[in-house]
Structures are given as structure tokens and as C-alpha cells.
Amino acid sequence: QVQLVESGGGLVQAGGSLRLSCAASGRISSYAMGWFRQAPGKEREFVAAISRMGGNTPRADSVKGRFTISRDNAKNTLYLQMNSLKPEDTAVYYCAASSGSWTYYLSRNNYDYWGRGTQVTVSS
């Protein structure tokens, strides 16, 4: 079992940057990893994912060119670098680990373990 703890959220002005981290209690090298976010009154949505060795890093269209996902398997840590932040990026951000097929990286149901989330607020 893997426990995930997010950090790095906060309040930032539009156009600013934040770097989220997700520290795992166990080894993450055997898991695909993902970031999801949930805004008030909305469903949790896919943001980005990264394959086990980091070779594939798909992102949602809304964050392409602005967000970068990366991982350090030696440190058992996942990252999300967020640049050019917009007010619509405001949400609770969750990291997740998947032992399932990479084919389904977009689906929340494909992830076995979740963190508790970190709040990101972007002011206009």
C-alpha cells in the first residue's frame, strides 16, 4: 500500500507559478502517477499523468503549455510545475497512483491510491 501526501499549494496571483509535490510512503516506480483537480461544485478532473519510467506525460488541453508533470522514483516523489496560472485553475489538487493499465490513465477509476489534496487558489 502507498500513502500519498501533497504539498506546495497556496494563494497566487494570476500569471504566477506554483510547484506541487506528492511524497509517497513507498516505492512509486511500479505505479503510473497522476494529478487531478476538483473545483467547488465540479467533478474531479484529470490534469496530467506520467508513466512508470516517465516517458509519457499526457496533460489535459486546459493546462498544456503551462503545467509540467515529473517524477523522481529515487525520492518516491511526484511533481506538478504550474506556470501562467489562471483563476480557473483554482481547485483542490490531488495526486494518485495507479497499478492498472496505462491505457486508462485518464480515468479516476484506474487509480488505486489518492492523497488528501492541496488547495490552489489563483486570484485575478
Side-chain angles (χ1 to χ4, degrees):
Q1 190 168 356
V2 175
Q3 293 184 332
L4 304 172
V5 179
E6 302 94 337
S7 62
L11 173 64
V12 64
Q13 289 188 333
S17 298
L18 284 173
R19 188 193 195 200
L20 304 184
S21 297
C22 173
S25 62
R27 296 181 64 180
I28 64 170
S29 56
S30 59
Y31 297 93
M33 303 292 293
W35 286 100
F36 290 75
R37 66 186 182 187
Q38 188 166 17
K42 295 187 177 181
E43 290 191 357
R44 193 170 299 187
E45 65 175 5
F46 170 79
V47 175
I50 187 165
S51 57
R52 288 163 175 78
M53 299 309 296
N56 292 306
T57 55
R59 287 157 288 176
D61 287 343
S62 59
V63 306
K64 280 182 181 176
R66 300 188 298 122
F67 291 11
T68 301
I69 187 172
S70 62
R71 64 191 296 163
D72 187 333
N73 286 345
K75 295 183 178 180
N76 294 311
T77 304
L78 176 72
Y79 303 99
L80 185 68
Q81 177 67 44
M82 305 187 295
N83 298 328
S84 303
L85 282 160
K86 304 176 180 179
E88 51 263 45
D89 295 318
T90 295
V92 177
Y93 283 71
Y94 300 89
C95 69
S98 170
S99 61
S101 171
W102 174 247
T103 303
Y104 306 109
Y105 65 83
L106 280 170
S107 172
R108 291 172 294 172
N109 295 333
N110 198 42
Y111 291 82
D112 307 287
Y113 304 106
W114 292 83
R116 293 189 174 184
T118 184
Q119 176 71 46
V120 171
T121 303
V122 185
S123 63
S124 57

